[in-house]
Amino acid sequence: MILKPGNLSFFILLFILLGNPKKGFGQEILTDTTFIEFKADTFIPLNFRIDSVTDSRNVTKSLVGYGSKRKFILVPVDKEICLQQPLGSALENGFIKNSNHQQSVSLDIKHFIIEKQHRRLSSYYVLEADIVISDSAKNYGYLSYNYFYLPRNKKDSKETIYEDAIKQWHPFFKIDLNSSLNFSKGLDSLKPEAYIEQPYHRYSYFTVNAATVVGSNFWQLDGEINFSRPETPTSKVFQGSIIRYQNTKDFELIAFGKRSEHYLLRINPSLLFHANSNLLIGINKWRDNEDIKLEQILQIALSSYQTISYNKVNKTGINIQAGLFENAYYIIHEPIKFQIGIYFAIGYKF
Amino acid sequence: MNWQKLKYSLLIWGIFSAPLISQSISGYVVDSKSHETLIGATIVLEPGKKATVTNNYGFYSLSGIKPGTYTLLVSHISYVTEITEITITKTGMVLDAIKLKPAPLNIDEVSIIAMKPDQAADKEAEISHHMLTPELIQSIPTARNDIFSAIKYLPGVDKTEPFSPLYTIRGGEPGENAVMLDGVMIYNPYHSSVTSGIFNSQTIKNVDLLLGGFGAEYGGRNSSVMYITTKDGNLNELHGEVEPSTFYSKMFLEFPAGKDASMIIAGRYYFDLPSNFLFNNRTYFYDYNLSYTKRLGKRNRISLKYFESRDFTGYNFNTLYKYLGNSFDTDVYDKFVLEQRNNWKNRSATAIHKLIISPRIYMRNQLYYSAHESDNYSGLNFSIENTDAFDEVSQLRWFSNNNLQSSIQDLGAKTHINFKISTYSDLKIGAEYNSYYFMNHIMLNEIDNGSFTRYPSLLSLFAEDKITTRFFVFRPGIRLTSYNNGQWMYEPRVNLNINLSSRLRLKFAWGEYLQYIMSMNTNEIQMFQLVDYYYPLNNQAPSKSTHYVAGVERKITPKLLITLDAYYKEINTTYTFDLNQEFAEVYSFADKLEYGKGNAYGAELYLQGRFKKVSGWIAYTLAWATRQYPNSSINNGEEYPYDYNRRHTVKSVINYQITDNFAFNSSFVFLSGMYRSIETTTQSYYSYNASTDELTYFPLYTSSEKNAAKMPPQINADFSIRRKLIKGMGRKLADLFKADDSYVTVTIKNALFIYRNVEFYYPGTFVPDYSDKYLPFGSNYIPAVGISYTLKF
């Protein structure tokens, strides 16, 4: 085989050759950090004094996100996107100092990250933040954000995108801060969407689900894991991964889906309507392989379920789902086939 | 037994071991967080610069010390040096365990090579010694965290058959390699389904591989010793590592289990789900380790360890052939059956008691049980229509199968005592008793070829003295053995290291080695010999080899070492089994044992260490090996090149720690071709089935000369990257389980794809246009990508 540009092996060799162990080379990659400005809102006044803003994240205190880029085409290098000052200070400096207010509160940043998230057909940026509000006497709960941001211009640099995302989010945060305190004191009847009155647990709930589906001519077992943010009106769409075993009269199937999409509609603090859609790729184990061709061991499936779920809002514990399941699958040389069944699942939210 | 030689050996000890009565200190060196004992920590006592290194059990002993106050410096490559003041009394002292704090990670210091201690105590007598750590094993891209895959990147160690986990060292038989897990001899420690070892690397603290010229402490095998030391477990808090996956998962947990006690639970599970779904094959393995260690004061430690592994490999390609036949509209595969089934099981249990009797005397007692069972079947049944020149149609048929069963049980007890006689002399004496059970059964082409069951025993005694001065380390030793209560046989061994300067050292070793348990060579009847079928000798003299090794070692920098070892191994007595019988011949084990002899010699050049952020090694080996079975029909009794000899090998493992989050690993192997017996003659068998009116033609290929052909060389280059996850699901899982880190490792096997590695040649007699040629086969050049995820906490 001839080594030429375009071959994977060429670039591996190129990387080795370029990987001169000269001091500073690795360090240069490690410290590939971009600094951005915290463009704070300066107009919205707060109805109270901020005593302190602490940042209890277990990361660099100025970190707001990670980027990634490839150096020498192959090397995936992590890029830290940091503020020019610690995030706690940046937030604190963003508040208008007003010593006339009697009441003071402290803020604790538990989680703050801006990430690019991918859905099946789209991608966008999300500013995730969990900030606990308390004073010397009381813990008021926390503000939890999943602030969606679509760049104005697709060609915007990551630095611009991150700066703009924070700039757009910050006024909402200040308004929510005022409103949530007013709400907790009974001065305002409107609860901000981002406000969660419970004590802070974690920035992401991990759920493991085991499901069974029974149809007229098949049965199946699904195993699913997902991470979901604390539940607010803006956090009711999330993704997970799924593995499926299906048993039909013709074949057994093992299939995988990576971006299983979940949609939640809360009915009451314990119940919710839960819909899900999956795209899975699997392999068939045929019962009778007399006429089966090699390419027919593959299957593509598009499935969904709609259930009523017992799932307590922002609390860990058991959850139970029951509802309907639909599936359409395609095997080469055969027409698309449909399945419908009863879905039942039991899981645990950590 | 030659008592004259024994007397001389004892006289040598007497001269060098003259006790110089003085005070001693001893104890353990441990990790401050986990309390795991540390191997290779250097202890220096000032003033006086008396120094030593902790042994495989983390124990040290310093003697020749006058009462007074001293400064004790304890150092280890991965730890912060500990300096303490101690006062030595007249009675000597067993010190509390010295706790070393792990050194903070410095990107410039990250190295996969655990260099031997640099300081005054660096006078280890072992030649041809390689030390592997879990970090090093992990850094080899396609070693898959497996010891047996990793060692094949070292000089002097080579793989045997393609797809086989067996290995050969310096021209020795695979069955001449001892594998010991915490002192327990393990038989066939391999998984067949993934051609890897049964030891979970997460449980391993250290692996010592001795390629030749090893000391009298080790016996029972002629070629090499692999001594694996496992962890005792974390005494302070829960720690572990989890690698979850759909088909292959592993877990390691270590935690405190009561006062001064720790436990380890570790296991792996693999199920070849795609193969099961695609081709109706059933292949899986599991293994698990349990360990409990209790510290009773400063002097006593008791460990209980249990290990079990199970392996089932079942490959039947009929479903695949059916699919292929339908896809390509051919019935050529309809009468083709190729099947392989391997069913293996290993168990070992041991109780170990370590005792510091006095500051000068350290004792280790052990009881153990080790068992292995294997049941291997492989068969081929292929039938196609054959039309000859006269348009006569007959069925061309290959039909061949074999089923080999083996069962081994080894119940043993051993004790050894380390006695610090003087500043210069460390005496080690020991005894071991083994009671064995062996069973073997062979069926060839569905004909029972016999079986046997034997219950031999072996009593071994050894004594070895290490005499250490500033200029040299001299280690004479002797091993005495009595097999089946027979006469005593002796194995003298000598090692000598001469320190020419602080950077240059000469090493010599000579030793005689006896082996009573042989391994049957079955590669003549099996396509791949995957396990050693052990055969205890009965009325024959033991297999014997004599090692002569000379080496020079130079430190280019404190972290870069180059060694050149030359060896000559005289194989005085060896045996093989001439199993390649004619079709239907009745077989008897004892009749097929053939006496032989041979030799192996060569040189190994090895550069290892670290240069800035790059660490690893490059090795070149030049080797010859021969065998001769004078009274047999094997090659008409003439000498021939040994099966697994490779003249030239070049191997390298390079780790480039680009950042503390990102490491690049590569491995490269060039192997000269092995010698092979290529089929040159066809014997034809015809049979007629009257009921089906079918004429069957069965060709049997035979070789006229053993190992007359040489296979082409093999070249493999593999890469991997290991990346610490800082975002995404991997990081969220790490946060959830409060793990310290999570990693993803991407491995690219055969990345260069520049060379077709031929592993077999088959005669193309019945293939159009290839009737006078050989058809090459081999898959060890096809690129493959693997991804794994690890949680470490």
Side-chain angles (χ1 to χ4, degrees):
Chain A
M1 182 177 176
I2 298 166
L3 293 176
K4 56 187 179 183
N7 288 352
L8 179 66
S9 49
F10 173 83
F11 287 108
I12 292 168
L13 279 177
L14 190 68
F15 171 71
I16 295 167
L17 295 173
L18 289 172
N20 177 4
K22 190 178 160 186
K23 191 170 176 67
F25 171 77
Q27 203 62 21
E28 184 191 323
I29 296 176
L30 175 67
T31 55
D32 205 345
T33 305
T34 302
F35 292 97
I36 61 167
E37 197 181 337
F38 187 97
K39 293 179 178 171
D41 169 80
T42 52
F43 297 106
I44 300 169
L46 288 186
N47 302 331
F48 47 85
R49 232 176 39 240
I50 298 289
D51 264 356
S52 66
V53 180
T54 52
D55 186 349
S56 50
R57 296 178 303 158
N58 190 22
V59 292
T60 311
K61 298 303 177 194
S62 57
L63 183 85
V64 293
Y66 293 104
S68 132
K69 66 179 187 181
R70 295 192 181 270
K71 285 203 170 179
F72 312 123
I73 300 170
L74 272 178
V75 187
V77 177
D78 295 318
K79 189 164 83 167
E80 289 190 346
I81 297 171
C82 293
L83 297 173
Q84 289 158 347
Q85 57 187 319
L87 177 62
S89 307
L91 277 182
E92 199 168 351
N93 296 338
F95 300 126
I96 299 163
K97 308 278 188 244
N98 189 340
S99 58
N100 295 330
H101 289 296
Q102 291 297 311
Q103 192 192 354
S104 65
V105 295
S106 297
L107 303 180
D108 185 4
I109 306 163
K110 294 287 188 185
H111 176 63
F112 192 101
I113 199 87
I114 303 170
E115 277 186 341
K116 189 173 187 182
Q117 293 187 358
H118 300 272
R119 292 287 183 259
R120 196 165 290 147
L121 299 172
S122 61
S123 64
Y124 41 79
Y125 287 84
V126 179
L127 186 154
E128 291 182 0
D130 293 334
I131 298 169
V132 174
I133 311 161
S134 63
D135 62 22
S136 54
K138 188 179 173 186
N139 187 322
Y140 294 97
Y142 62 105
L143 289 167
S144 181
Y145 289 94
N146 297 283
Y147 184 81
F148 289 74
Y149 175 76
L150 273 173
R152 287 169 299 185
N153 188 341
K154 282 188 177 176
K155 288 182 180 174
D156 279 351
S157 68
K158 246 187 179 153
E159 293 79 4
T160 308
I161 291 167
Y162 278 44
E163 277 182 354
D164 286 354
I166 294 172
K167 188 181 171 186
Q168 281 196 13
W169 162 81
H170 192 237
F172 288 104
F173 167 62
K174 289 171 79 175
I175 292 167
D176 289 343
L177 208 50
N178 280 332
S179 310
S180 52
L181 275 169
N182 288 341
F183 177 77
S184 67
K185 289 174 182 299
L187 302 174
D188 195 340
S189 59
L190 195 65
K191 183 183 159 191
E193 284 189 346
Y195 182 43
I196 296 174
E197 289 177 275
Q198 295 158 331
Y200 182 73
H201 182 57
R202 62 166 47 114
Y203 73 89
S204 177
Y205 289 91
F206 177 62
T207 303
V208 182
N209 261 325
T212 181
V213 178
V214 179
S216 60
N217 55 1
F218 77 100
W219 61 271
Q220 78 181 37
L221 298 171
D222 281 2
E224 187 170 8
I225 57 169
N226 62 63
F227 282 95
S228 59
R229 292 274 298 139
E231 200 180 314
T232 66
T234 56
S235 66
K236 292 185 174 173
V237 179
F238 55 89
Q239 294 185 326
S241 298
I242 187 167
I243 179 169
R244 169 170 299 166
Y245 168 81
Q246 190 180 79
N247 190 308
T248 74
K249 67 180 176 55
D250 296 325
F251 56 78
E252 291 173 84
L253 164 80
I254 188 90
F256 302 90
K258 198 182 171 201
R259 286 188 182 144
S260 157
E261 298 216 338
H262 297 257
Y263 313 90
L264 307 183
L265 184 63
R266 177 65 59 183
I267 299 167
N268 63 39
S270 296
L271 292 177
L272 53 80
F273 173 75
H274 190 155
N276 165 281
S277 72
N278 299 300
L279 181 65
L280 298 102
I281 296 174
I283 47 178
N284 306 312
K285 181 181 180 180
W286 291 92
R287 295 189 192 284
D288 177 4
N289 54 28
E290 274 305 308
D291 301 316
I292 300 301
K293 295 178 177 175
L294 186 63
E295 56 272 27
Q296 290 183 294
I297 60 177
L298 284 177
Q299 178 184 130
I300 296 172
L302 184 63
S303 66
S304 69
Y305 64 75
Q306 304 80 37
T307 63
I308 298 296
S309 175
Y310 170 78
N311 184 333
K312 287 191 170 179
V313 60
N314 293 329
K315 283 194 174 166
T316 59
I318 287 175
N319 61 62
I320 298 167
Q321 286 174 264
L324 272 179
F325 169 86
E326 309 87 32
N327 185 41
Y329 67 89
Y330 172 70
I331 297 168
I332 198 163
H333 307 308
E334 290 192 9
I336 293 173
K337 292 181 180 168
F338 298 91
Q339 295 167 318
I340 187 161
I342 305 294
Y343 182 95
F344 178 81
I346 187 160
Y348 196 89
K349 186 162 72 169
F350 294 89
Chain B
M1 176 174 180
N2 189 336
W3 286 103
Q4 201 65 27
K5 286 188 181 176
L6 178 60
K7 276 191 282 187
Y8 284 129
S9 304
L10 293 170
L11 184 63
I12 291 168
W13 283 333
I15 293 166
F16 283 95
S17 308
L20 300 170
I21 302 303
S22 52
Q23 304 312 319
S24 304
I25 57 165
S26 65
Y28 290 100
V29 178
V30 300
D31 179 297
S32 65
K33 284 187 174 172
S34 65
H35 285 228
E36 193 72 55
T37 53
L38 298 177
I39 299 167
T42 304
I43 297 99
V44 180
L45 199 68
E46 294 279 11
K49 272 205 180 296
K50 289 191 184 302
T52 190
V53 178
T54 53
N55 65 13
N56 262 5
Y57 318 117
F59 174 79
Y60 67 91
S61 177
L62 274 170
S63 66
I65 308 163
K66 291 176 182 170
T69 301
Y70 291 87
T71 303
L72 192 68
L73 289 93
V74 185
S75 62
H76 189 284
I77 189 164
S78 309
Y79 291 82
V80 177
T81 299
E82 179 78 17
I83 302 171
T84 48
E85 292 281 317
I86 58 164
T87 302
I88 311 281
T89 61
K90 284 183 181 176
T91 53
M93 297 164 72
V94 176
L95 302 180
D96 288 335
I98 299 167
K99 295 167 189 163
L100 297 189
K101 290 178 185 161
L105 182 73
N106 177 353
I107 187 72
D108 287 341
E109 293 294 325
V110 173
S111 172
I112 59 165
I113 299 287
M115 294 290 287
K116 292 169 191 171
D118 292 332
Q119 300 180 19
D122 184 11
K123 290 182 172 56
E124 284 301 294
E126 224 50 89
I127 190 169
S128 305
H129 170 216
H130 295 285
M131 194 170 83
L132 290 91
T133 57
E135 292 74 26
L136 188 150
I137 294 167
Q138 197 172 52
S139 73
I140 302 174
T142 50
R144 303 181 304 261
N145 279 334
D146 173 52
I147 304 165
F148 296 96
S149 303
I151 61 169
K152 289 167 189 165
Y153 290 89
L154 293 169
V157 187
D158 282 310
K159 59 183 182 180
T160 56
E161 312 288 332
F163 310 112
S164 172
L166 299 179
Y167 62 98
T168 170
I169 289 186
R170 289 183 173 172
E173 306 284 344
E176 293 179 338
N177 302 318
V179 177
M180 303 176 87
L181 183 70
D182 291 312
V184 181
M185 186 76 81
I186 306 291
Y187 300 84
N188 290 313
Y190 315 112
H191 283 306
S192 67
S193 42
V194 287
T195 62
S196 75
I198 51 180
F199 306 127
N200 184 341
S201 67
Q202 291 163 315
T203 63
I204 290 168
K205 186 193 290 186
N206 188 61
V207 180
D208 289 293
L209 183 65
L210 308 171
L211 301 185
F214 44 88
E217 183 181 355
Y218 304 108
R221 297 291 183 275
N222 279 352
S223 194
S224 74
V225 173
M226 178 191 285
Y227 194 98
I228 301 162
T229 309
T230 61
K231 295 173 183 168
D232 288 331
N234 197 306
L235 199 58
N236 286 337
E237 55 190 9
L238 172 70
H239 272 272
E241 207 169 312
V242 179
E243 200 174 306
S245 167
T246 314
F247 315 128
Y248 173 70
S249 298
K250 60 182 183 179
M251 180 194 77
F252 166 73
L253 297 174
E254 52 177 338
F255 50 89
K259 188 173 182 296
D260 293 330
S262 55
M263 268 197 87
I264 288 178
I265 298 174
R268 298 187 294 179
Y269 176 74
Y270 168 80
F271 182 71
D272 191 349
L273 194 62
S275 171
N276 177 264
F277 263 74
L278 291 172
F279 311 125
N280 275 315
N281 292 326
R282 184 161 166 256
T283 294
Y284 68 87
F285 78 70
Y286 66 77
D287 58 50
Y288 63 90
N289 297 62
L290 302 171
S291 166
Y292 172 82
T293 300
K294 174 86 175 168
R295 289 94 174 152
L296 301 163
K298 286 190 285 189
R299 292 174 181 257
N300 283 279
R301 279 169 185 242
I302 293 171
S303 296
L304 302 172
K305 296 183 186 243
Y306 181 77
F307 167 76
E308 181 167 331
S309 77
R310 178 78 200 273
D311 227 272
F312 184 83
T313 312
Y315 288 116
N316 180 323
F317 299 92
N318 295 356
T319 307
L320 173 64
Y321 295 142
K322 177 67 74 180
Y323 289 155
L324 286 170
N326 290 336
S327 285
F328 297 102
D329 199 20
T330 172
D331 61 358
V332 69
Y333 299 110
D334 284 1
K335 292 179 180 173
F336 197 114
V337 176
L338 177 61
E339 190 172 8
Q340 185 174 359
R341 291 192 304 270
N342 303 316
N343 197 349
W344 300 353
K345 191 173 184 180
N346 271 79
R347 278 166 294 160
S348 88
T350 186
I352 304 166
H353 175 221
K354 297 172 196 164
L355 168 66
I356 303 174
I357 296 173
S358 79
R360 288 171 181 276
I361 303 174
Y362 178 81
M363 188 179 200
R364 185 179 186 275
N365 304 305
Q366 183 170 20
L367 286 172
Y368 67 84
Y369 170 76
S370 177
H372 168 80
E373 288 168 30
S374 64
D375 182 351
N376 301 316
Y377 171 88
S378 61
L380 171 70
N381 193 346
F382 181 28
S383 176
I384 57 171
E385 278 191 352
N386 182 43
T387 308
D388 64 17
F390 307 101
D391 288 339
E392 285 282 327
V393 176
S394 63
Q395 290 290 317
L396 170 66
R397 189 174 182 210
W398 277 279
F399 169 74
S400 169
N401 63 52
N402 60 70
N403 183 198
L404 284 84
Q405 295 168 328
S406 174
S407 179
I408 303 159
Q409 291 179 38
D410 179 356
L411 186 62
K414 62 180 171 184
T415 182
H416 82 236
I417 295 174
N418 287 27
F419 183 26
K420 186 85 180 170
I421 296 175
S422 69
T423 311
Y424 304 107
S425 175
D426 290 275
L427 179 67
K428 194 185 283 186
I429 56 173
E432 181 171 4
Y433 179 78
N434 297 84
S435 175
Y436 300 104
Y437 160 79
F438 289 94
M439 189 284 292
N440 279 304
H441 179 212
I442 295 183
M443 288 190 74
L444 292 178
N445 296 323
E446 293 170 8
I447 296 170
D448 192 333
N449 279 252
S451 65
F452 75 84
T453 304
R454 280 187 192 154
Y455 300 87
S457 65
L458 180 66
L459 177 61
S460 314
L461 307 173
F462 79 89
E464 185 178 86
D465 195 11
K466 190 165 92 173
I467 296 138
T468 309
T469 72
R470 191 177 160 193
F471 305 106
F472 68 86
V473 180
F474 179 57
R475 195 182 64 182
I478 192 160
R479 190 173 181 89
L480 302 166
T481 50
S482 170
Y483 181 66
N484 272 340
N485 301 316
Q487 64 170 328
W488 286 95
M489 307 289 283
Y490 72 96
E491 301 165 56
R493 321 249 173 108
V494 175
N495 285 58
L496 174 65
N497 283 7
I498 300 170
N499 298 313
L500 295 179
S501 72
S502 62
R503 290 187 162 195
L504 189 62
R505 179 183 302 172
L506 299 179
K507 291 186 169 187
F508 302 95
W510 168 79
E512 291 184 359
Y513 301 83
L514 299 177
Q515 183 166 340
Y516 299 93
I517 314 294
M518 301 302 304
S519 167
M520 295 190 285
N521 182 348
T522 64
N523 63 8
E524 301 285 350
I525 57 170
Q526 290 187 301
M527 184 175 277
F528 327 109
Q529 180 168 1
L530 299 175
V531 294
D532 283 312
Y533 299 97
Y534 286 98
Y535 177 93
L537 294 172
N538 200 18
N539 298 314
Q540 298 84 0
S543 169
K544 180 182 175 185
S545 67
T546 309
H547 297 191
Y548 305 86
V549 193
V552 57
E553 180 182 296
R554 188 176 192 282
K555 273 185 183 152
I556 300 168
T557 71
K559 302 289 181 193
L560 206 57
L561 186 75
I562 188 164
T563 59
L564 176 65
D565 281 2
Y567 65 90
Y568 180 80
K569 189 192 288 185
E570 180 73 43
I571 299 163
N572 312 88
T573 309
T574 188
Y575 299 94
T576 192
F577 286 80
D578 186 10
L579 294 174
N580 194 12
Q581 299 304 304
E582 291 180 12
F583 191 58
E585 182 178 345
V586 175
Y587 173 82
S588 155
F589 279 99
D591 293 346
K592 297 301 161 197
L593 191 67
E594 298 284 359
Y595 157 78
K597 59 185 181 178
N599 58 44
Y601 51 96
E604 294 156 4
L605 183 65
Y606 185 46
L607 174 68
Q608 62 157 329
R610 182 170 64 77
F611 178 72
K612 298 192 175 175
K613 294 185 182 71
V614 179
S615 62
W617 67 80
I618 299 171
Y620 168 72
T621 306
L622 180 65
W624 290 265
T626 64
R627 290 290 188 278
Q628 185 181 12
Y629 296 93
N631 307 320
S632 81
S633 60
I634 302 170
N635 213 40
N636 298 317
E638 299 293 321
E639 187 179 76
Y640 63 88
Y642 177 52
D643 296 15
Y644 307 127
N645 179 233
R646 297 178 187 275
R647 180 68 51 82
H648 305 278
T649 64
V650 178
K651 299 172 181 177
S652 84
V653 170
I654 303 293
N655 168 271
Y656 185 12
Q657 191 73 37
I658 299 174
T659 74
D660 56 357
N661 285 357
F662 188 87
F664 175 83
N665 300 302
S666 72
S667 61
F668 173 84
V669 171
F670 168 88
L671 305 172
S672 283
M674 286 194 303
Y675 291 93
R676 273 285 169 268
S677 303
I678 292 289
E679 294 84 350
T680 52
T681 312
T682 309
Q683 295 173 3
S684 300
Y685 295 83
Y686 290 90
S687 66
Y688 176 72
N689 187 330
S691 62
T692 59
D693 192 27
E694 190 178 81
L695 179 67
T696 302
Y697 167 49
F698 177 76
L700 184 72
Y701 296 103
T702 58
S703 308
S704 57
E705 195 177 349
K706 172 84 173 168
N707 291 350
K710 196 175 176 186
M711 300 289 286
Q714 295 206 359
I715 300 175
N716 291 97
D718 309 312
F719 302 97
S720 75
I721 51 172
R722 183 174 159 89
R723 187 183 189 190
K724 189 172 158 182
L725 295 174
I726 55 171
K727 60 180 181 177
M729 188 179 265
R731 185 65 235 173
K732 285 176 182 172
L733 273 173
D735 287 345
L736 177 76
F737 291 108
K738 295 186 168 49
D740 297 333
D741 289 312
S742 62
Y743 295 93
V744 66
T745 307
V746 179
T747 304
I748 304 161
K749 189 182 173 192
N750 291 324
L752 292 180
F753 196 22
I754 58 173
Y755 195 87
R756 181 171 182 181
N757 293 317
V758 177
E759 288 163 324
F760 303 99
Y761 279 105
Y762 294 111
T765 315
F766 302 99
V767 180
D769 302 329
Y770 287 88
S771 58
D772 57 346
K773 297 184 177 67
Y774 289 87
L775 297 171
F777 288 89
S779 58
N780 190 21
Y781 65 99
I782 298 169
V785 177
I787 299 174
S788 68
Y789 172 73
T790 308
L791 270 177
K792 191 171 185 179
F793 54 92

